[in-house]
Amino acid sequence: MKKIIILSLIILSFGIKAQTFNQTYLSDSVQIKELSNKQGLSYKIKNYDNDSYWSKAANNIFINYNDSLEITNILEIPDRDYMFKYGNKLYLLNTAFHYDYDTSFNQLFVVDSFSFIYYDIENRTENYVNINDSLIEINNKYMFLEQSKEIAIVSAPRIEMFDSNSVLNSTSFKITILDTLGNVLRYKKINRRLHDFSFEEQANNILISGVAYGTYTTSLDNKIYYINKNSLDLVDSINTDKHYLFFKTINDSIVCGITGLYTIYVDMYNTISKTVINNNYSVSSPAIHWFNQYFYNTSSLSIDFINEDSIFFVCQLRDANPYNSRGIEMFNFKRDGSLNYRYIFNDYQSNLQREINGITATREGGLIIDVMSIINYNFSNAWLLRYSHYGNLDLLDVKKEDKYTINLYPNPTTDFINIVSSDEIKEITIYNSLSQNVYSKKHKGKDIEIDISYFSKGSYIVDIRTEKGNIRKKFIVE
């Protein structure tokens, strides 16, 4: 029987704002705001509303912020790990369990309950809906289906790696669809082996990238399953040669799978033609860490994009000791997986282990990374790291006078830009969001008009060389 419980919680947002995130690092390309010595996880909240970005910062603190990392709202909600936001509500599927032992003293996981929980930000109430435990297995992951506004749960029986019977007996997995109030809409049991997995929404299907572990009688099996979202029927599959730790839909025909250790493998699958483009990039040290937040489907949180030819992936670099971090490496690649650029950042708290717990591509062509740097078992630092491939020039105070000596207008624009300088302009170069040179010309004068009517819509950086040096400005073509 479904049970709904409504609790009223108090949000203590006043007084928190001043003591949360402080700017602790600023360079030409990286800005960091940080909440120091906090307890609990910090990670990206997948936001499906139009109020910029959300993250969990500490045990009880959730923050809302914009492209410039300005904090616009703070919620204090005790003891909840909400994972996505939609309709001004925060959502969580909670699996409560305890440990027990069988007659041979093997440890067992025993499910106590499955609860669908959502927090109404406007009304400050939390709602619980209990889900029948016959519909979900303990090895479960969930995500929001953006097209149908539903919640998909994929689950499989838990297996023990050293118990071949548990592997052999795990011969099916389940798919359960909920609405945003926690009502069960559809359910199906699929008679296929699936042990470790992630999944994404693509067109009319749910794509499940998974591995079925092998025993002495069975082999390792990597596949991508196509599940129709409406009927929940298994309609197709692809055999793959890798188990992907990161999995992200790019468009209605392309999906990206990433895995690796000393080499980063970036595979772009066409799910219609069933073809794949394989790419690989060597790294200087072991480079894979994935954010495994309980039962949420987190495999897509380290891949993000706005432009399909400017896809970001971020990983942690470390040595043989997993607690020794050698930096954060950012990859930017095209839709076919070929590289645009890569960048390593290791200039802040390099003595601490750093975990990548979600990334967000921004409209300006940059990136925001949720980072947790580990101090010890009890305390850590939560970063919001903003990366700009062109430099955070609108943030730097190094050349305050530049704002007064160079003017660029109109901005945004559609047809032309005017650049007016108090010093003579010698050369102007313009780069698009992929760092490609789209305009370069020598000039002589203090008032220059440039025709940009043939430019594609997007963000651009203009490099202006004057008698006193180079100055860069950003403008947007609409």
Side-chain angles (χ1 to χ4, degrees):
M1 179 179 178
K2 183 165 66 175
K3 185 179 181 182
I4 300 179
I5 305 170
I6 301 178
L7 295 180
S8 179
L9 300 180
I10 299 175
I11 301 179
L12 302 176
S13 59
F14 54 87
I16 300 175
K17 201 166 195 174
Q19 62 185 20
T20 53
F21 279 79
N22 298 308
Q23 184 164 292
T24 55
Y25 182 91
L26 182 63
S27 70
D28 185 55
S29 58
V30 174
Q31 174 197 15
I32 293 176
K33 286 194 172 181
E34 179 181 6
L35 174 62
S36 302
N37 295 306
K38 55 87 179 177
Q39 290 183 301
L41 290 171
S42 54
Y43 55 83
K44 171 184 175 178
I45 302 288
K46 181 66 175 174
N47 186 20
Y48 296 94
D49 295 327
N50 294 318
D51 57 345
S52 298
Y53 315 117
W54 284 79
S55 294
K56 183 173 184 181
N59 265 340
N60 58 347
I61 297 177
F62 293 80
I63 58 170
N64 181 207
Y65 52 95
N66 61 21
D67 286 315
S68 299
L69 305 187
E70 296 171 341
I71 308 297
T72 57
N73 192 13
I74 298 179
L75 306 180
E76 187 173 13
I77 309 173
D79 301 325
R80 293 291 183 222
D81 289 327
Y82 294 106
M83 295 306 300
F84 68 88
K85 179 176 176 288
Y86 170 70
N88 210 30
K89 297 180 178 66
L90 295 166
Y91 289 89
L92 163 68
L93 178 68
N94 186 65
T95 301
F97 63 91
H98 67 274
Y99 297 103
D100 205 343
Y101 296 88
D102 63 17
T103 56
S104 301
F105 297 100
N106 295 312
Q107 190 179 65
L108 303 173
F109 280 70
V110 180
V111 174
D112 298 316
S113 65
F114 295 108
S115 301
F116 180 73
I117 305 172
Y118 55 98
Y119 181 84
D120 189 313
I121 294 175
E122 181 177 358
N123 296 321
R124 303 184 182 186
T125 56
E126 189 174 71
N127 301 266
Y128 299 74
V129 180
N130 290 332
I131 309 297
N132 189 319
D133 59 12
S134 68
L135 304 179
I136 307 174
E137 298 287 350
I138 192 169
N139 178 21
N140 65 74
K141 295 181 181 179
Y142 66 99
M143 69 175 291
F144 183 69
L145 301 179
E146 189 170 6
Q147 296 175 15
S148 58
K149 315 303 180 189
E150 298 168 334
I151 291 87
I153 306 167
V154 178
S155 63
R158 176 180 166 80
I159 65 167
E160 301 294 339
M161 292 302 297
F162 300 104
D163 181 358
S164 60
N165 287 329
S166 71
V167 176
L168 292 172
N169 292 333
S170 177
T171 58
S172 64
F173 64 91
K174 299 176 180 179
I175 303 177
T176 308
I177 306 295
L178 310 179
D179 66 15
T180 54
L181 297 177
N183 299 299
V184 177
L185 302 178
R186 300 182 297 284
Y187 162 80
K188 182 156 285 191
K189 182 178 180 180
I190 307 294
N191 292 318
R192 293 290 189 278
R193 298 170 66 238
L194 183 68
H195 299 145
D196 194 7
F197 58 90
S198 55
F199 64 101
E200 277 280 279
E201 177 183 23
Q202 186 186 64
N204 296 321
N205 294 321
I206 296 171
L207 299 181
I208 303 174
S209 171
V211 58
Y213 293 120
T215 67
Y216 59 90
T217 60
T218 60
S219 60
L220 193 71
D221 195 13
N222 296 297
K223 285 186 179 293
I224 297 176
Y225 290 114
Y226 300 47
I227 307 293
N228 182 275
K229 285 192 298 187
N230 296 316
S231 67
L232 301 186
D233 290 333
L234 173 60
V235 294
D236 211 339
S237 65
I238 301 176
N239 292 317
T240 68
D241 61 352
K242 302 180 187 71
H243 171 39
Y244 296 110
L245 298 176
F246 306 95
F247 192 63
K248 179 82 170 181
T249 295
I250 306 303
N251 56 36
D252 284 349
S253 62
I254 304 296
V255 66
C256 173
I258 299 179
T259 193
L261 191 59
Y262 286 96
T263 299
I264 302 296
Y265 297 95
V266 180
D267 295 343
M268 310 300 289
Y269 284 90
N270 187 310
T271 54
I272 297 175
S273 65
K274 294 187 177 181
T275 56
V276 60
I277 301 175
N278 302 112
N279 304 268
N280 61 83
Y281 304 103
S282 297
V283 289
S284 58
S285 62
I288 287 294
H289 160 83
W290 70 101
F291 174 41
N292 188 19
Q293 165 55 5
Y294 299 111
F295 303 99
Y296 186 62
N297 184 47
T298 59
S299 64
S300 66
L301 292 185
S302 290
I303 307 172
D304 202 22
F305 65 95
I306 292 177
N307 180 344
E308 291 181 13
D309 278 320
S310 181
I311 301 169
F312 287 99
F313 169 69
V314 179
C315 61
Q316 172 197 200
L317 300 175
R318 56 179 175 81
D319 58 22
N321 182 343
Y323 298 102
N324 293 338
S325 178
R326 290 190 173 180
I328 297 168
E329 184 151 16
M330 310 166 205
F331 294 82
N332 184 275
F333 48 87
K334 298 181 177 65
R335 183 171 48 183
D336 62 1
S338 60
L339 196 65
N340 289 319
Y341 59 84
R342 57 196 292 185
Y343 175 80
I344 295 177
F345 175 75
N346 197 30
D347 295 337
Y348 186 66
Q349 295 183 2
S350 58
N351 60 315
L352 299 179
Q353 177 193 4
R354 287 157 291 182
E355 296 182 356
I356 311 303
N357 291 345
I359 72 171
T360 303
T362 63
R363 291 179 292 272
E364 291 78 13
L367 185 67
I368 295 173
I369 310 173
D370 285 73
V371 182
M372 187 167 71
S373 63
I374 311 300
I375 300 172
N376 53 46
Y377 289 108
N378 295 315
F379 293 93
S380 60
N381 305 316
W383 306 358
L384 294 176
L385 187 157
R386 180 189 179 201
Y387 170 70
S388 171
H389 192 55
Y390 314 105
N392 291 322
L393 298 175
D394 55 326
L395 298 170
L396 294 176
D397 271 336
V398 176
K399 296 181 179 179
K400 289 185 178 179
E401 70 275 10
D402 290 345
K403 296 182 180 179
Y404 305 100
T405 58
I406 295 281
N407 289 316
L408 184 152
Y409 66 91
N411 188 15
T413 184
T414 55
D415 299 319
F416 65 91
I417 55 170
N418 284 314
I419 299 174
V420 180
S421 172
S422 56
D423 301 305
E424 185 166 288
I425 297 171
K426 294 183 173 294
E427 186 175 5
I428 295 175
T429 306
I430 301 177
Y431 302 92
N432 65 14
S433 60
L434 299 178
S435 301
Q436 297 167 334
N437 185 326
V438 295
Y439 176 93
S440 184
K441 187 175 181 180
K442 295 186 182 300
H443 289 273
K444 188 175 182 181
K446 297 182 179 181
D447 189 345
I448 308 296
E449 180 178 296
I450 300 174
D451 177 18
I452 51 89
S453 60
Y454 59 94
F455 283 19
S456 301
K457 294 180 180 179
S459 298
Y460 293 83
I461 295 294
V462 55
D463 192 311
I464 306 159
R465 184 165 67 87
T466 72
E467 294 175 323
K468 293 184 177 180
N470 284 39
I471 298 170
R472 282 180 288 175
K473 295 282 187 180
K474 180 173 69 176
F475 69 93
I476 296 173
V477 176
E478 293 184 336

